[in-house]
């Protein structure tokens, strides 16, 4: 119910949230600030935690290449209307995979240094339900300690980083007649400690947050699916870091409304959100985020037409506003980035088969860019204007047969994004034009196998398009076998990543792992 984005950094390390803590993940494309507020300029990753009512007693152990070890244990109990569950995880890796060091002459074989990592996490969750009230509580604690590998061929600076997060959320849902009412609250603190032995740096940054929101869902006439939603939300952020000017604070008040309404064979989804930001040392900011989406089914055919138009925004981070260090300075006068996006497409949805095709266009103004001034001091300013257009296509097919089934999923995306702030458009670094993926899965009895293929075109590493990281195609293979008894079900899985042993980089100078293997054993009590 609340964003995970760090207000100081403007990002979140998703690898600190293990899949064992999640019950569902949705990828929502397009601007979504009308529903989710700041940062939802190009899309949202929406994650739901595990539910105490569905988690059982289980144990999962993993073993893999380069010193990888992992263990996950989950348990849950029901006490009448109350369900209490927990999931704990520990994992570690040496991360010392071999690679070809092309920075040296001649090229030599080397192993990655300072790439070790240690993770630990705990999630406790409760759920209570009565005849018209349900309440949930969730405590999330995670800690990651890792080395920060340097660029290939460079001397290690003994860089280390520790990320800690503690997050407590609660939700109460009820009904007042035909009106559904929801209240939610959040208390959170995140810590990031960075050390550099060579430069003798030891910095600790903390960000605290409290939040609360209320929401009411009201049914509308003419159809049971027609409804309106209204919400109000408040959040306060406080950040502390040696390179921030004093303690940075931000208060955010939001109100909004949305509805779903059938009209002449189409379904309309209008929504709007109003945000007010009070940031210490900066002028207040007021942002409106309207959005209108529509869908229409063509009679009895499984064809759905869809379109959307909306505005999204991103507030400057605390680093953008307040950073103070040698050679860099924040700018409290920054405006929020703002974008308008439009998309339209069609889908074919029927049992066992789907296909979707969509085109989109987006223009972002007041883009925040860090630029050097006349004294060579880097400072963020609102100079950027970005424009992107693209096409997305996907299809899936399920083919059952006696004793099993076959599933095929294929996706493709073409995106042309350019910085049009200056006279001649410039490319964005590391933004590929073409990406594609496919998954072929087969299940026969208690055995299953999946082949995943992912490909990307080259990605430019300079805005003048002169240098680029080559494109690559990766193949992963996984097989699993399940057997059980009246007491427990056990699954043994084997995953081979980068089957073709492809040498590739996502960021120039930072090689990715070669072919490697992982085995996992999971037992769940019945």
């Amino acid at each position: 119910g609340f964003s995970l984005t760090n207000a100081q950094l403007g990002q979140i390390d998703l690898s600190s949230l293990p899949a064992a803590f999640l019950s569902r993940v949705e990828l929502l494309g397009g601007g979504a600030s009308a529903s989710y507020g700041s940062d939802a300029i190009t899309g949202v990753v929406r994650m739901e935690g595990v539910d105490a009512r569905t988690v059982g007693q289980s144990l999962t152990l993993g073993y893999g290449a380069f010193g990888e070890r992992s263990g996950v244990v989950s348990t849950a109990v029901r006490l009448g209307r109350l369900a209490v569950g927990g999931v704990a995880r520990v994992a570690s890796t040496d991360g010392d995979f071999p690679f070809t060091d092309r920075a040296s002459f001649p090229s030599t074989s080397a192993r990655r240094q300072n790439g070790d990592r240690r993770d630990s996490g705990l999630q406790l969750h409760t759920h209570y339900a009565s005849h018209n009230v349900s309440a949930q509580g969730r405590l999330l604690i995670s800690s990651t300690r890792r080395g920060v590998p340097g660029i290939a061929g460079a001397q290690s600076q003994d860089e280390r980083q520790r990320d800690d997060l503690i997050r407590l959320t609660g939700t109460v849902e009820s009904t007042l007649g035909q009106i559904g009412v929801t209240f939610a609250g959040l208390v959170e603190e995140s810590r990031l400690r960075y050390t550099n032995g060579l430069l003798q740096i030891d910095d600790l940054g903390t960000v605290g947050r409290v939040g609360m929101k209320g929401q009411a869902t009201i049914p509308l006439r003419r159809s049971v699916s027609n409804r309106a939603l209204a919400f109000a939300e408040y959040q306060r952020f406080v950040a502390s870091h040696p390179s921030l000017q004093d303690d940075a604070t931000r208060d955010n008040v939001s109100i909004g409304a949305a509805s779903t309404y059938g009209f002449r064979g189409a379904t309309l989804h209008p929504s709007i959100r109003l945000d007010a930001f009070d940031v210490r040392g900066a002028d207040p900011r007021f942002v409106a985020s309207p959005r209108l989406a529509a869908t229409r089914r063509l009679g009895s055919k499984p064809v759905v037409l869809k379109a959307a138009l909306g505005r999204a925004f991103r507030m400057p981070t605390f680093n953008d506003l307040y950073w103070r260090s040698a050679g860099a300075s924040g700018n409290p006068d920054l405006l929020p980035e703002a974008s308008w996006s439009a998309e339209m497409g069609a889908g074919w949805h029927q049992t066992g088969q789907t296909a979707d095709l969509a085109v989109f266009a987006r223009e972002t103004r007041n883009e925040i860019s860090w630029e050097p001034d006349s004294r060579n001091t880097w400072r963020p300013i609102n100079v950027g204007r970005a424009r992107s257009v693209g096409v997305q296509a996907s299809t899936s097919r399920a083919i059952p047969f006696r004793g099993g089934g076959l599933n095929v999923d294929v996706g493709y995306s073409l995106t042309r994004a350019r910085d049009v702030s200056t006279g001649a458009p410039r490319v964005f670094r590391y933004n590929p034009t073409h990406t594609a993926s496919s998954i072929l899965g087969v299940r026969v009895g208690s055995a299953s196998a999946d082949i995943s293929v992912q490909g990307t075109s080259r990605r430019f590493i300079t805005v003048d398009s002169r240098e680029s990281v080559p494109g690559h195609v990766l193949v992963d293979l996984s097989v699993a076998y399940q057997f059980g008894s009246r007491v427990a079900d056990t699954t043994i899985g084997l995953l081979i990543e980068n089957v073709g042993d492809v040498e590739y980089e996502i960021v120039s100078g930072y090689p990715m792992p070669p072919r490697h293997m992982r085995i996992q054993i999971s037992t769940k009590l019945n």
Side-chain angles (χ1 to χ4, degrees):
F2 293 90
S3 169
L4 281 158
T5 304
N6 185 291
Q8 180 184 344
L9 303 174
Q11 38 186 288
I12 172 67
D13 181 5
L14 291 179
S15 68
S16 64
L17 294 174
F21 285 10
L22 305 174
S23 63
R24 179 181 175 85
V25 177
E26 289 182 288
L27 301 180
L28 311 177
S33 287
S35 299
Y36 298 97
S38 178
D39 302 329
I41 281 191
T42 58
V44 171
V45 181
R46 178 173 175 172
M47 296 165 286
E48 297 179 12
V50 293
D51 193 321
R53 296 168 295 177
T54 59
V55 172
Q57 325 293 327
S58 67
L59 173 66
T60 301
L61 301 175
Y63 176 86
F66 320 125
E68 182 179 317
R69 310 284 191 277
S70 65
V72 178
V73 60
S74 65
T75 185
V77 295
R78 296 194 67 123
L79 304 171
R81 295 177 177 177
L82 176 66
V84 181
V87 181
R89 175 182 181 264
V90 292
S92 64
T93 179
D94 296 333
D96 57 345
F97 57 80
F99 67 95
T100 301
D101 184 1
R102 303 188 186 280
S104 62
F105 184 82
S107 299
T108 61
S109 178
R111 297 190 76 90
R112 190 171 73 153
Q113 299 180 1
N114 202 35
D116 62 293
R117 175 172 175 148
R118 303 292 182 268
D119 291 274
S120 59
L122 173 68
Q123 184 180 191
L124 301 177
H125 42 102
T126 63
H127 187 278
Y128 174 84
S130 65
H131 66 284
N132 70 334
V133 175
S134 66
Q136 298 183 58
R138 190 179 307 275
L139 173 65
L140 173 64
I141 302 173
S142 69
S143 179
T144 299
R145 305 182 185 187
R146 64 185 126 189
V148 182
I151 193 169
Q155 178 186 357
S156 173
Q157 297 187 12
D158 191 24
E159 296 176 88
R160 309 290 300 176
Q161 184 172 310
R162 176 170 177 172
D163 300 77
D164 297 301
L165 172 68
I166 179 168
R167 178 184 176 100
L168 178 64
T169 57
T171 305
V172 177
E173 298 177 337
S174 184
T175 55
L176 301 175
Q178 293 184 322
I179 301 176
V181 180
T182 302
F183 296 97
L186 162 76
V187 178
E188 175 186 280
E189 181 179 86
S190 61
R191 292 172 172 261
L192 191 153
R193 183 178 183 181
Y194 169 79
T195 61
N196 186 311
L198 184 63
L199 301 180
Q200 297 184 341
I201 296 175
D202 188 345
D203 287 344
L204 173 64
T206 64
V207 179
R209 171 164 54 153
V210 295
M212 61 188 72
K213 66 169 63 173
Q215 175 179 301
T217 304
I218 307 168
L220 302 177
R221 295 181 178 180
R222 295 186 58 180
S223 172
V224 294
S225 62
N226 292 344
R227 61 188 183 277
L229 177 150
F231 68 87
E233 179 178 338
Y234 168 76
Q235 292 191 73
R236 178 177 176 82
F237 299 84
V238 179
S240 174
H241 189 276
S243 294
L244 291 180
Q245 185 179 17
D246 301 323
D247 285 348
T249 62
R250 186 175 87 190
D251 292 277
N252 177 202
V253 177
S254 311
I255 59 173
S259 68
T260 299
Y261 194 79
F263 180 75
R264 294 186 178 181
T267 303
L268 302 179
H269 308 272
S271 57
I272 187 170
R273 179 185 177 110
L274 304 175
D275 282 275
F277 294 89
D278 183 11
V279 184
R280 180 177 177 180
D283 293 334
R285 303 299 184 197
F286 303 93
V287 185
S289 304
R291 187 174 190 270
L292 175 63
T295 58
R296 180 183 178 92
R297 181 175 292 274
L298 297 184
S300 60
K301 298 180 180 180
V303 178
V304 178
L305 303 180
K306 52 190 176 181
L309 173 67
R311 187 179 189 271
F313 74 99
R314 183 182 79 87
M315 277 293 293
T317 67
F318 283 145
N319 284 355
D320 291 333
L321 296 170
Y322 301 122
W323 190 263
R324 293 291 185 273
S325 66
S329 176
N331 180 3
D333 297 325
L334 287 173
L335 297 174
E337 294 183 354
S339 74
W340 279 97
S341 62
E343 58 183 285
M344 60 186 302
W348 174 285
H349 297 178
Q350 64 179 11
T351 304
Q353 183 177 358
T354 65
D356 288 279
L357 176 66
V359 296
F360 65 88
R362 180 181 303 111
E363 180 159 321
T364 303
R365 295 180 178 270
N366 293 328
E367 186 178 346
I368 297 172
S369 176
W370 283 73
E371 305 284 348
D373 60 17
S374 58
R375 299 180 180 180
N376 205 31
T377 297
W378 289 81
R379 182 179 174 87
I381 54 178
N382 291 113
V383 297
R385 188 160 63 94
R387 184 177 299 153
S388 62
V389 295
V391 178
Q392 291 181 326
S394 63
T395 182
S396 64
R397 179 76 183 274
I399 306 173
F401 54 79
R402 186 174 181 180
L406 182 69
N407 291 281
V408 182
D409 294 273
V410 179
Y412 168 76
S413 176
L414 182 151
T415 305
R416 291 185 60 85
R418 295 291 184 268
D419 180 354
V420 293
S421 307
T422 59
R426 302 183 300 175
V427 300
F428 282 102
R429 301 168 67 229
Y430 291 108
N431 194 29
T433 301
H434 306 278
T435 59
S437 64
S438 66
I439 300 176
L440 173 64
V442 60
R443 178 178 56 83
V444 179
S446 299
S448 62
D450 292 278
I451 298 177
S452 171
V453 182
Q454 301 179 57
T456 181
S457 61
R458 65 175 178 170
R459 285 154 294 134
F460 294 107
I461 59 177
T462 57
V463 296
D464 58 8
S465 306
R466 293 183 179 180
E467 299 182 40
S468 62
V469 173
H472 59 265
V473 177
L474 300 178
V475 179
D476 298 336
L477 170 65
S478 65
V479 294
Y481 182 78
Q482 183 177 4
F483 56 93
S485 65
R486 297 173 61 182
V487 178
D489 292 325
T490 300
T491 302
I492 299 178
L494 176 68
L495 171 64
I496 303 176
E497 295 191 51
N498 193 1
V499 174
D501 203 20
V502 176
E503 293 188 5
Y504 72 104
E505 296 176 341
I506 301 238
V507 176
S508 179
Y510 294 86
M512 299 298 291
R515 179 174 53 236
H516 59 286
M517 185 172 64
R518 177 184 300 120
I519 188 171
Q520 184 170 287
I521 301 176
S522 180
T523 298
K524 185 173 183 178
L525 298 180
N526 292 325

